[in-house]
Amino acid sequence: MSRTTHTHPSRGRIPRVVGGVGAMLLALVVVATGVVALWADSHRGHDGYVSTGSHQYDTAGRAITSPSVEVGKFTPDWLIRRVRVSASSTSSGRPVFVGIGRSHDVNRYLANVSRSELHDFGWGGPSFANHTGSRTPAPPATQRFWAVTAHGRGTQTVSWKLKPGHWQVVVMNADGTPGVSVAVSLGAHTPPLLVPGLVLVGLGLLIGGGGFALVYRGTRPVATVAAPIPAVA
């Protein structure tokens, strides 16, 4: 005769499940990065730039600024080589100014100047943090702290090679007057991303498959074991 006994889950099953879930989460990140790279490559122009469409921005103040963006040593120049900003006035062809400068210089120049800082593009349109001020700034093109500038009638474009530090994009009327109404597009110069994107997607799928296998091994039912019953003398 024999009787059926049930074994208890081994302690090794919990690490398998935890490790498997972690691997699957990592796989999602890797696959998502690969998908973004593939999307960017499909929108990459002949000039090497991945560009947004043109978006309308308006403020009653004297300037529209981006948030302060930190460019550091962890921003690989092989991935984003240059950025490009184009702007054109939508208010009767007024001359427009576009500049990129270090945040501390921009803040000093626009101290006590009415302006709008772009916070979020949002699904329902951009949102701004409006700053009030009463000072009239000197025309922006007369300032010497800008890394790159462009100003005049029609579409004005700046192209800038990334450098470490905190930077902001500024768009104004060329004479510094209030009431800025512009159409702006952004672009980033990247290398071809098709092969890296495919590699990341494939790697993510492999990591996800390994994670799933660990989770399965850690959660599958434990087999029962039939233990022999000693014979009665």
Side-chain angles (χ1 to χ4, degrees):
M1 296 179 60
S2 66
R3 64 180 180 183
T4 300
T5 61
H6 298 274
T7 61
H8 295 285
S10 66
R11 294 181 180 179
R13 300 182 68 180
I14 295 178
R16 288 194 198 103
V17 173
V18 173
V21 171
M24 292 172 72
L25 291 175
L26 175 62
L28 287 176
V29 174
V30 174
V31 170
T33 303
V35 170
V36 170
L38 293 175
W39 176 89
D41 188 78
S42 68
H43 289 77
R44 187 171 178 268
H46 295 297
D47 57 0
Y49 279 89
V50 178
S51 300
T52 68
S54 182
H55 298 276
Q56 178 73 31
Y57 301 106
D58 303 280
T59 181
R62 297 177 181 270
I64 297 174
T65 68
S66 72
S68 178
V69 177
E70 182 178 5
V71 178
K73 61 182 179 180
F74 297 109
T75 304
D77 55 7
W78 62 266
L79 180 60
I80 301 178
R81 298 168 179 171
R82 304 183 71 87
V83 295
R84 182 174 66 189
V85 183
S86 298
S88 59
S89 174
T90 57
S91 179
S92 302
R94 297 175 66 179
V96 68
F97 169 89
V98 184
I100 298 176
R102 293 190 181 273
S103 296
H104 62 84
D105 292 323
V106 170
N107 290 330
R108 183 174 62 248
Y109 169 60
L110 294 178
N112 196 29
V113 173
S114 60
R115 65 191 188 278
S116 296
E117 180 179 318
L118 180 64
H119 269 196
D120 186 17
F121 289 96
W123 291 105
S127 62
F128 295 93
N130 295 315
H131 303 272
T132 59
S134 58
R135 188 173 67 86
T136 300
T142 64
Q143 306 303 299
R144 306 190 59 160
F145 63 81
W146 303 108
V148 288
T149 64
H151 56 93
R153 297 183 183 277
T155 300
Q156 301 299 309
T157 300
V158 295
S159 177
W160 175 64
K161 180 176 175 58
L162 273 63
K163 295 181 179 179
H166 291 79
W167 301 87
Q168 283 180 271
V169 178
V170 179
V171 180
M172 304 174 64
N173 292 326
D175 56 4
T177 54
V180 182
S181 181
V182 289
V184 179
S185 65
L186 306 175
H189 193 284
T190 68
L193 297 174
L194 176 61
V195 173
L198 292 174
V199 170
L200 286 171
V201 170
L203 179 62
L205 293 176
L206 287 175
I207 295 173
F212 177 81
L214 285 174
V215 171
Y216 176 76
R217 289 183 61 188
T219 58
R220 65 181 177 180
V222 179
T224 58
V225 178
I229 299 176
V232 179

